[in-house]
Amino acid sequence: MKTRNDRWDLLIQNARVATMDPSVDAPYGLIEAGLVGISGRQIVFVGNENDLPVAMAECATAQLDLGGQFLFPGFIDCHTHLVFAGHRAHEFELRLQGASYEQIARAGGGIVSTVQNTRAVSEAALLAASLPRAEALAAEGVSTLEIKSGYGLDLDSERKMLRVARQIGEALSLTVRTTYLGLHALPPEYRERRAEYVDLAVDHWLPTLHGEGLVDAVDAFMEHIAFTRDETARLFEQAERLGLPVKLHADQLSDGGGAALVATHRGLSADHIEYTSPEAVAAMAAAGTVAVLLPGSFYCLRETRLPPIDQFRTMRVPMAVSTDLNPGTSPLRSSLHAANQACTLFRLTPEEALQGITRHAATALGLAHAKGQIQVGMDADLVAYDISHPAELCYWLGAHQPTRRWTLGQPR
Ligand code: NIG
Ligand code: FE
């Protein structure tokens, strides 16, 4: 019998619980007329009234009737560059006049122009510029997000970005996973000293920033306009020595063997992956590497080469979906819009797209044990929507608003 002291903190009743749990035998892992119990930061009960250990009224100190609304696990945006200063609306204009992303990058625009803006501002100003972007994601129901460095490209500016990423998590009560992206672009001052830059970024800055507790994972941009396979491999070997998981901007503009490389290192994810080969898809499957689909940059760059979605399905490579929120290729501040694009542009089913911003995104961050499903023992990150079908989350464009959300058991 439950005593007053071991009552749960909250019992959510009368919910259509889209658990996203594959062991629940229904689309979206749906439990009708469901109940979810929360104690502290965790989910302690998921099921129906008959499964409760004691009478409903005795279970929890507080009860909430959701009136038949849908309840989802908090969304997860597993690939963002949302810490930066300034914007690149002018490049948007240039691209509309016919310039390509590569041409703009080679002419000194692109990533390097955001680096200049980001270096120039104080930590406080960078936080003030970045926070509203994270708030926009959170307002829709994102409870966990990944934030990369890579617009600093010197030690102090990379540190500033990663510190701001941590501060965003604290300010908004979100779970933030930071990723070191020192090999994002070659800064102009190293144009003639490429090897020196890679040495510094790999051998000095990464261990230093990791030592300061600022790095949860390591990423690079492996592409003919960015870093080579050898340079990326060196970075990954250093990450391995430090015990850090790796991921990669892979095969976005050409098949450079990036996804295959990340699989060799049993990386968390290969991201973009439009040009990934069938052999590399098989390697990802064997390594447990998640395919992170970024339809926002595909859309903004008017790409035409689709990622090998059917091969991911056949080989059972989990597909995550993310915004890639960044000022150049994907100024997209909505996970649900990314889910819509994954359906419309890549022909994911709405269920696949929602798995992509919940369960599979959790795996892509190494958080599959704690996030991305409504399951006993997982974190109580939840979001409620007043809709009548889960596919509505992918179907409506814009102005999505949850009725309630919780992160780590607390209402937000
Ligand atoms: O994920 N591909 C490299 N990095 C980003 C773009 C960054 C930028 O253009 O500022 C991406 O698309
Ligand atoms: Fe990216």
Side-chain angles (χ1 to χ4, degrees):
M1 192 65 190
K2 274 188 171 298
T3 67
R4 187 170 298 275
N5 289 337
D6 62 13
R7 283 183 179 193
W8 305 328
D9 294 327
L10 176 66
L11 182 66
I12 302 171
Q13 312 163 11
N14 195 13
R16 305 181 75 186
V17 184
T19 64
M20 306 312 287
D21 177 347
S23 71
V24 175
D25 186 21
Y28 305 91
L30 188 65
I31 299 175
E32 295 283 1
L35 301 157
V36 175
I38 299 175
S39 231
R41 298 156 63 107
Q42 281 197 331
I43 297 167
V44 290
F45 177 84
V46 184
N48 294 112
E49 192 171 350
N50 321 341
D51 312 319
L52 284 171
V54 293
M56 188 129 80
E58 300 296 312
C59 283
T61 47
Q63 315 257 342
L64 174 73
D65 188 325
L66 260 197
Q69 292 183 15
F70 273 86
L71 192 64
F72 295 88
F75 306 137
I76 300 172
D77 196 346
C78 66
H79 178 139
T80 85
H81 310 248
L82 69 76
V83 170
F84 60 85
H87 62 78
R88 307 230 294 271
H90 178 55
E91 285 178 20
F92 177 60
E93 293 183 320
L94 290 177
R95 284 207 311 276
L96 287 171
Q97 289 159 22
S100 74
Y101 181 62
E102 296 185 42
Q103 281 164 348
I104 290 169
R106 288 188 196 281
I111 294 171
V112 163
S113 73
T114 299
V115 171
Q116 278 156 4
N117 291 332
T118 302
R119 284 178 177 173
V121 296
S122 68
E123 192 169 302
L126 189 58
L127 177 63
S130 307
L131 203 53
R133 294 187 276 269
E135 274 172 331
L137 297 176
E140 239 181 30
V142 168
S143 51
T144 299
L145 75 159
E146 186 257 21
I147 303 177
K148 301 175 196 294
S149 71
Y151 292 124
L153 309 185
D154 63 38
L155 178 59
D156 286 345
S157 307
E158 289 288 290
R159 177 187 288 120
K160 178 172 70 182
M161 287 189 71
L162 293 166
R163 284 171 52 93
V164 165
R166 290 272 190 249
Q167 287 161 30
I168 286 172
E170 282 154 27
L172 301 180
S173 301
L174 300 170
T175 299
V176 168
R177 304 298 281 181
T178 57
T179 299
Y180 173 72
L181 181 55
L183 297 193
H184 193 196
L186 189 67
E189 66 272 23
Y190 285 92
R191 196 164 288 146
E192 309 306 327
R193 297 179 289 148
R194 186 181 178 89
E196 196 182 319
Y197 180 77
V198 175
D199 287 350
L200 273 173
V202 171
D203 297 334
H204 181 45
W205 303 346
L206 173 57
T208 301
L209 297 171
H210 177 50
E212 294 172 18
L214 290 171
V215 181
D216 299 324
V218 173
D219 189 358
F221 185 19
M222 181 175 147
E223 192 60 65
H224 51 77
I225 55 166
F227 291 92
T228 66
R229 188 194 155 85
D230 286 352
E231 291 161 344
T232 307
R234 272 198 54 202
L235 174 75
F236 282 4
E237 282 152 23
Q238 176 71 288
E240 249 155 39
R241 280 192 288 276
L242 297 170
L244 286 168
V246 301
K247 57 179 87 179
L248 189 64
H249 284 74
D251 311 331
Q252 178 187 11
L253 307 172
S254 62
D255 180 9
L261 177 69
V262 81
T264 308
H265 290 265
R266 306 193 80 75
L268 289 173
S269 66
D271 302 33
H272 285 291
I273 50 180
E274 277 84 347
Y275 286 82
T276 296
S277 69
E279 296 73 32
V281 174
M284 288 171 69
T289 298
V290 175
V292 176
L293 305 176
L294 302 171
S297 49
F298 178 93
Y299 165 81
C300 291
L301 298 180
R302 297 165 179 265
E303 296 286 345
T304 51
R305 168 82 174 225
L306 290 164
I309 303 294
D310 279 337
Q311 289 166 25
F312 292 135
R313 287 189 181 118
T314 311
M315 301 298 294
R316 298 189 168 279
V317 174
M319 291 182 283
V321 173
S322 172
T323 59
D324 194 15
L325 172 42
N326 77 70
T329 64
S330 193
L332 171 57
R333 297 173 294 191
S334 163
S335 291
L336 293 176
H337 199 109
N340 169 277
Q341 291 178 329
C343 297
T344 304
L345 301 173
F346 296 168
R347 295 193 179 269
L348 263 63
T349 67
E351 187 178 2
E352 285 175 324
L354 292 181
Q355 284 165 348
I357 59 168
T358 55
R359 181 158 72 89
H360 296 323
T363 306
L365 294 180
L367 295 174
H369 58 285
K371 308 271 186 196
Q373 296 174 54
I374 301 180
Q375 217 189 78
V376 170
M378 292 211 177
D379 291 342
D381 292 344
L382 300 165
V383 57
Y385 267 89
D386 189 8
I387 52 178
S388 59
H389 193 290
E392 280 189 74
L393 292 186
C394 302
Y395 155 83
W396 294 107
L397 290 169
H400 278 293
Q401 270 185 336
T403 57
R404 294 175 186 271
R405 55 193 178 91
W406 294 260
T407 60
L408 298 174
Q410 295 300 312
R412 305 296 175 191

